Amino acid sequence: MEGPNSHMTIDLIGNIYVIDEIIYYDKLLSFSCKNDIGNLFLAICIELDDMEQWLFLPVSEARLIQILRGSITAYKAFEQSEMGFIWKITIHANYNKEGKAEKISFDKLADVDLPDKDILFDVYGEDTFSIKRSKQEKILEQSIKERREIIDISLELEQSHTHEIGAAFLGNVLKGTQDIVNVISHRQGMNASIPKKIKDDNKLIYTGNYAASFGIRLKSNKLADIFNESELQRNLSVLMSLLKAKSNAEEISEITKELNPKVLSHYKNFLNLFQKEDVAINTNLAFPSNKLNNVKLTSEDIAQSIKVLESEINETSKEYSFYGKIVAIDITRNNFKFITDDDDTISGEIDKAVNIEEFLLPKRAKVKLRVTTKISDFNDEEQIEYELLEIDYNL
Amino acid sequence: MCERQYPDFFPVGCPPSDAKPMEIRVYRLVQGNTITKEDFKSFIEEGRNGSNPKFSFTEYGLSVNLKHEELRNYRRAVPALRKKFKNIAYGITYKDKGVVKSTPSAKQENHYTWWLCKDAEPESDFFIL
């Protein structure tokens, strides 16, 4: 029986109701649809003669979502028909109510009757990489309302517009983001362990996905203070500055000069995550202090940044002063052990110019150290060496 | 020269009032290696049912696109278009030829519909790429 609002009526399938329009050109030529009992189909016109020919692919709801999110090409969807067949429909061009259906198998179709192999019907995704201004404003509104920092990271695989991503990669991106924020915050810390307070202050919560190629939304665990500011805001701003600096070595050096020397190697590892998967990134930050920040990095930008970071950090050497306690001096091996007021334990060699006197240990002191960060050519691991340059006991 | 007179087969209310005379460069699929009047016939004129559930009266107009790449992808996505249309032409929607309206969808951000005036001859203003 003919449905009153149906788009087509086909003998073995029934009345057809359009759900999603995919391609309209002078008429609707590809769409998702359902019949009276809710069977779902992907429809595509293959011949525009007086008698039109169409392919109707029967699909489950899950498969239809996969197709419309661009997780599978249209060609593959037909090739891997869940029911093992495809309906071929013949219908009069001027009368959509007397369609005739016949079952055919995929191998009866020539490539000329199918979409090109790389075509995605990703109507649920965003075609453009950029987040539109109105969306940014919504993030800001949310950040102010919740008094929490929000960071949106959109991941785009360069070779396809898929809206799915590997679980291991996603896990690494989440962990990498938290790690780089922590190490930026750990300004004086020289050792691998990040104090609990820094971890707590900078804790990011994964709150879900948002509409993008593959959009991850993170929010601060803590609320901003009464001035709508926080330690996390300062650290996220540093991260954004680093991303914006791209491959400008001078700017990177300026941003990191007051930071923990480990930041450079952690930042390089963070960028490496994206390079390995050939993923471009678009990051939006919103702060309750009514600040918005956006930066986009293409795969090329990421590759160039890594190149600059590698030359910057293969060996860097800087001098830092620390307060704490000298706990061991070995003049036969010419080395020392020092515990900072932040409870970091540092050990290394003593410079020849340092005058070692007799004293009882431990002894409170201010020390000047040369901190040298090296990246191993073999395993890419970071090594930090410390050299004691000055001791001052007169505190 | 058209003075906003539309073909007799247009129903009342067509073209829609929000369609405007605008001169924009657009791309359109054409059947052969030369552009003919046939390339600017709506599917309604061809005797084809072309209603669009989303926009009214689009079946009386012509699909055109602002982006060559997007239009090329329609042809790659829909086998019927690939078979029927061999080339892509470009031209201007001169104000005396009709009115245009943006009629986009998720995959077709740059899709416009062009309602031609009676006796408009757009084929003379279009060129094959």
Side-chain angles (χ1 to χ4, degrees):
Chain A
M1 188 181 154
E2 194 179 303
N5 299 313
S6 65
H7 185 67
M8 282 182 181
T9 305
I10 300 164
D11 58 358
L12 300 177
I13 300 178
N15 295 309
I16 294 298
Y17 305 91
V18 173
I19 305 171
D20 293 290
E21 183 180 308
I22 300 171
I23 301 285
Y24 181 97
Y25 189 84
D26 285 355
K27 72 174 286 178
L28 195 50
L29 294 171
S30 180
F31 51 89
S32 67
C33 56
K34 64 181 177 185
N35 66 6
D36 286 315
I37 57 166
N39 297 136
L40 297 167
F41 305 91
L42 175 70
I44 188 166
C45 185
I46 62 167
E47 201 71 64
L48 278 166
D49 287 335
D50 289 345
M51 292 302 286
E52 290 178 359
Q53 286 182 14
W54 291 73
L55 296 180
F56 271 55
L57 176 70
V59 286
S60 64
E61 190 177 4
R63 175 53 73 101
L64 185 59
I65 290 170
Q66 231 184 358
I67 296 167
L68 299 182
R69 281 180 66 90
S71 305
I72 180 172
T73 63
Y75 185 95
K76 272 253 178 302
F78 282 101
E79 187 182 30
Q80 297 169 1
S81 164
E82 290 170 298
M83 298 290 284
F85 70 87
I86 297 157
W87 291 107
K88 187 173 182 181
I89 313 297
T90 307
I91 196 163
H92 199 282
N94 196 29
Y95 189 62
N96 275 354
K97 303 299 175 189
E98 288 180 358
K100 305 274 181 219
E102 64 167 317
K103 277 184 187 177
I104 60 163
S105 59
F106 178 80
D107 55 21
K108 293 279 183 287
L109 291 168
D111 276 356
V112 73
D113 291 323
L114 292 158
D116 280 3
K117 289 185 178 174
D118 59 341
I119 288 287
L120 297 170
F121 284 168
D122 52 340
V123 297
Y124 291 167
E126 283 189 333
D127 281 342
T128 53
F129 190 41
S130 62
I131 293 181
K132 293 175 180 59
R133 189 75 202 158
S134 61
K135 285 189 183 172
Q136 285 187 325
E137 280 160 6
K138 276 184 195 159
I139 301 168
L140 187 61
E141 265 174 40
Q142 202 177 341
S143 173
I144 293 168
K145 196 171 148 192
E146 295 184 25
R147 249 175 69 211
R148 293 169 82 184
E149 290 76 30
I150 299 178
I151 176 166
D152 279 352
I153 304 172
S154 173
L155 307 171
E156 175 129 323
L157 276 85
E158 291 286 278
Q159 300 308 320
S160 73
H161 287 277
T162 183
H163 300 288
E164 295 186 358
I165 216 148
F169 173 58
L170 175 60
N172 287 337
V173 170
L174 294 173
K175 186 175 180 305
T177 308
Q178 183 67 74
D179 284 350
I180 185 70
V181 172
N182 286 350
V183 80
I184 287 171
S185 182
H186 196 201
R187 280 174 171 70
Q188 288 291 311
M190 291 294 146
N191 288 338
S193 62
I194 305 281
K196 188 174 177 304
K197 185 176 182 323
I198 286 183
K199 287 184 182 171
D200 286 346
D201 287 346
N202 291 282
K203 189 172 181 179
L204 294 165
I205 304 293
Y206 168 69
T207 61
N209 293 5
Y210 68 96
S213 298
F214 190 89
I216 302 164
R217 175 156 294 172
L218 303 170
K219 292 183 185 174
S220 59
N221 186 40
K222 288 187 171 178
L223 301 184
D225 63 21
I226 54 164
F227 303 109
N228 286 321
E229 288 178 352
S230 69
E231 173 63 18
L232 179 61
Q233 274 182 43
R234 288 181 277 278
N235 300 323
L236 287 173
S237 298
V238 171
L239 176 58
M240 286 303 265
S241 304
L242 279 172
L243 291 167
K244 281 185 177 172
K246 294 187 177 174
S247 53
N248 184 333
E250 210 172 296
E251 210 176 321
I252 292 171
S253 175
E254 184 61 28
I255 296 164
T256 55
K257 72 177 182 192
E258 299 296 329
L259 300 176
N260 188 326
K262 291 160 75 81
V263 166
L264 282 174
S265 59
H266 277 253
Y267 180 56
K268 194 195 92 174
N269 292 342
F270 179 65
L271 293 183
N272 265 334
L273 282 174
F274 305 107
Q275 191 184 39
K276 278 180 190 160
E277 299 285 332
D278 200 12
V279 166
I281 52 172
N282 183 9
T283 307
N284 278 279
L285 265 187
F287 293 162
S289 50
N290 199 16
K291 283 182 193 149
L292 259 179
N293 214 334
N294 168 263
V295 63
K296 293 178 198 175
L297 265 75
T298 63
S299 294
E300 182 55 29
D301 291 333
I302 291 168
Q304 288 301 321
S305 302
I306 291 171
K307 208 179 271 181
V308 166
L309 288 166
E310 275 169 351
S311 61
E312 280 283 301
I313 61 175
N314 270 346
E315 183 163 334
T316 59
S317 197
K318 288 182 185 171
E319 290 175 13
Y320 296 87
S321 292
F322 296 93
Y323 289 91
K325 287 178 289 188
I326 287 277
V327 292
I329 295 277
D330 184 340
I331 53 169
T332 58
R333 292 181 178 168
N334 206 34
N335 59 29
F336 73 98
K337 195 171 186 180
F338 182 80
I339 297 177
T340 70
D341 285 347
D342 289 332
D343 262 352
D344 274 328
T345 302
I346 295 171
S347 55
E349 286 190 357
I350 303 168
D351 186 73
K352 284 174 192 161
V354 177
N355 182 26
I356 303 294
E357 300 161 3
E358 282 186 27
F359 49 78
L360 289 171
L361 296 178
K363 187 171 175 118
R364 182 143 181 84
K366 177 187 173 188
V367 296
K368 185 186 258 186
L369 303 178
R370 180 180 293 124
V371 182
T372 304
T373 309
K374 291 179 182 174
I375 301 294
S376 161
D377 289 337
F378 299 106
N379 55 14
D380 227 21
E381 279 185 10
E382 173 191 61
Q383 294 167 341
I384 299 182
E385 289 175 2
Y386 304 95
E387 194 173 6
L388 179 63
L389 303 176
E390 285 173 19
I391 308 178
D392 181 2
Y393 303 116
N394 303 314
L395 304 181
Chain B
M1 179 75 182
C2 164
E3 292 174 358
R4 301 282 166 268
Q5 283 186 356
Y6 294 99
D8 299 335
F9 61 86
F10 275 22
V12 176
C14 177
S17 58
D18 52 352
K20 304 290 176 204
M22 275 192 290
E23 290 191 356
I24 48 175
R25 181 189 165 111
V26 294
Y27 296 89
R28 178 158 169 87
L29 296 173
V30 291
Q31 296 186 45
N33 293 327
T34 52
I35 300 171
T36 69
K37 211 174 179 61
E38 292 298 303
D39 291 317
F40 293 89
K41 264 188 174 176
S42 65
F43 275 1
I44 283 281
E45 286 174 274
E46 277 189 20
R48 204 174 290 281
N49 185 332
S51 63
N52 183 345
K54 203 168 155 189
F55 296 104
S56 305
F57 306 124
T58 50
E59 64 270 39
Y60 294 91
L62 302 175
S63 284
V64 289
N65 204 283
L66 299 187
K67 294 274 164 75
H68 169 253
E69 186 64 20
E70 189 175 294
L71 183 57
R72 203 171 74 89
N73 279 338
Y74 301 171
R75 204 170 51 174
R76 296 178 66 227
V78 180
L81 290 179
R82 199 194 297 132
K83 291 176 192 172
K84 187 176 168 84
F85 300 106
K86 304 290 177 242
N87 282 304
I88 295 178
Y90 68 94
I92 305 289
T93 58
Y94 289 113
K95 289 180 182 175
D96 61 341
K97 306 280 179 178
V99 289
V100 289
K101 178 185 166 181
S102 171
T103 45
S105 65
K107 285 291 284 179
Q108 299 182 268
E109 273 188 17
N110 300 291
H111 182 271
Y112 276 68
T113 303
W114 187 18
W115 288 270
L116 289 174
C117 294
K118 195 175 188 177
D119 302 327
E121 290 176 350
E123 61 275 15
S124 55
D125 304 322
F126 274 70
F127 307 94
I128 289 178
L129 272 176

